[in-house]
Amino acid sequence: MTHVQTLSGAASAGQWTGVRHGLRRKLQRLRLSWAAGIDTASPVTVALVTTAILSAFFVLLPGVDLAVTQAFFDAERGFVAASDPALKALRKSSSWVMGLVLLGLIVVAIRGVWTRRREARKALFLISGLALASGLVVNGIFKGSWGRARPIQIEAFGGEAEFTRAWAIADQCASNCSFVSGEASSAAWIAAAAIVMTPQPWRPILIPVAFAYAAALSFNRLLFGGHFLSDIVLSWAITILVLCLLHRLMLHCPVAAREARRRRRARQGSAPAMG
C-alpha cells in the first residue's frame, strides 16, 4: 500500500510540475507578446485615438446628428427612403452576405487544421471578432445598455422620445436601441474580412468593392431613420478598435513573441564564453 501511495504521490507531483512549467511558458509568451511592437503608430493606438477624437466631436457637437438626419426627413411623409425597394433589398442582402462570409471562414478554419494553418488562424480571428465586436460589445453591451432612442422615435422626427447625444446613457429606449449601430458593426466586419482574407491578386478589386458595400449598408440606416450619424461612425470605430486588439492577441503577438525569443537566443548564442 505504501508503495502504491508513493507512486501516486510521485505522479501527482509530476503533473503539478508540468502544469507549473506550462503556466510559466504561457506567462513568458504573454509578456514577450505585449512587449513586442508597442508604439504610437500601432493599429491599436491609431484606432483608440481615432475613436476618442470621433467621440469628442459628436459629444461636443450633438447638433450634427440632428442636422444630418433632418436632411432625409420630410415633415409630411417622414423618412421617404424607408419604402424604397432597392434600399430595402440592400438591407436584406447583408444577412446573406454575412452568412456566406462566415460559412467560408468556418470552412477555411476547419481545413486549416491539416493544411494552411496561417489561413486558419486568420479565419478564427475573424470569427472571434464577429462574436466579440459585433455580438458582445456592440449588440450586447452598447445597444442593450445606453438607452438612446432612434431618430424615428424622437419628437423632432415624429416620435415621442427625447434626443440624447452620443455616449449619454439615457432611458429613452428599453432594448435594441440606437447607440451604436449593429448593422454598421457587421458591415465593418465584412470590410475587415475582405482585408484579411483576400489574396493579393484580387485585393485591388475586392477590397474597394467590399468597402463600398459596407459603407452603403451602414449609411442606409440614416435614410431609414434607424440610426444617427454618430451611431454609424462610432460603431465602425469601436468595431475596428476591438478587431485591432484581437488581431494583436491572436495574430501579431504569437509571431512577435517567437521573433523575440529567436533574437534572445541568438544573443545568448553569440555571447562570449566566460572562462
Side-chain angles (χ1 to χ4, degrees), residues 24-85:
R24 189 179 299 118
R25 285 196 300 270
K26 288 183 181 298
L27 289 173
Q28 176 72 358
R29 186 181 301 117
L30 184 62
R31 184 184 68 80
L32 290 171
S33 298
W34 279 109
I38 299 178
D39 55 60
T40 55
S42 70
V44 173
T45 305
V46 172
L48 181 60
V49 171
T50 301
T51 303
I53 292 173
L54 290 172
S55 297
F57 174 82
F58 285 109
V59 168
L60 295 174
L61 299 172
V64 172
D65 274 333
L66 292 171
V68 172
T69 301
Q70 184 66 52
F72 306 106
F73 179 75
D74 183 271
E76 296 182 357
R77 297 182 296 168
F79 291 95
V80 182
S83 59
D84 186 284

Side-chain angles (χ1 to χ4, degrees), residues 43-163:
V44 173
T45 305
V46 172
L48 181 60
V49 171
T50 301
T51 303
I53 292 173
L54 290 172
S55 297
F57 174 82
F58 285 109
V59 168
L60 295 174
L61 299 172
V64 172
D65 274 333
L66 292 171
V68 172
T69 301
Q70 184 66 52
F72 306 106
F73 179 75
D74 183 271
E76 296 182 357
R77 297 182 296 168
F79 291 95
V80 182
S83 59
D84 186 284
L87 295 178
K88 291 168 73 173
L90 173 64
R91 186 184 181 192
K92 289 182 179 179
S93 70
S94 63
S95 299
W96 289 97
V97 173
M98 267 194 58
L100 289 173
V101 173
L102 184 58
L103 179 61
L105 292 172
I106 292 172
V107 171
V108 171
I110 295 174
R111 186 183 63 184
V113 173
W114 297 279
T115 56
R116 305 176 67 180
R117 294 190 176 181
R118 175 157 180 80
E119 295 300 309
R121 287 195 296 269
K122 292 195 292 186
L124 288 173
F125 152 68
L126 288 167
I127 295 170
S128 302
L130 179 63
L132 182 61
S134 299
L136 176 62
V137 176
V138 170
N139 285 290
I141 297 177
F142 284 104
K143 291 179 71 66
S145 305
W146 252 251
R148 187 188 201 188
R150 297 175 183 272
I152 201 169
Q153 296 173 325
I154 70 170
E155 294 176 345
F157 305 113
E160 298 180 354
E162 295 180 2
F163 169 77

Side-chain angles (χ1 to χ4, degrees), residues 157-219:
F157 305 113
E160 298 180 354
E162 295 180 2
F163 169 77
T164 52
R165 70 181 68 201
W167 287 109
I169 299 178
D171 59 357
Q172 298 301 304
C173 172
S175 62
N176 192 27
C177 302
S178 190
F179 189 82
V180 286
S181 172
E183 288 175 78
S185 177
S186 299
W189 178 83
I190 290 173
I195 293 175
V196 173
M197 300 302 295
T198 302
Q200 186 60 42
W202 292 94
R203 293 177 72 83
I205 298 173
L206 290 184
I207 290 179
V209 169
F211 266 85
Y213 177 72
L217 283 178
S218 300
F219 291 101

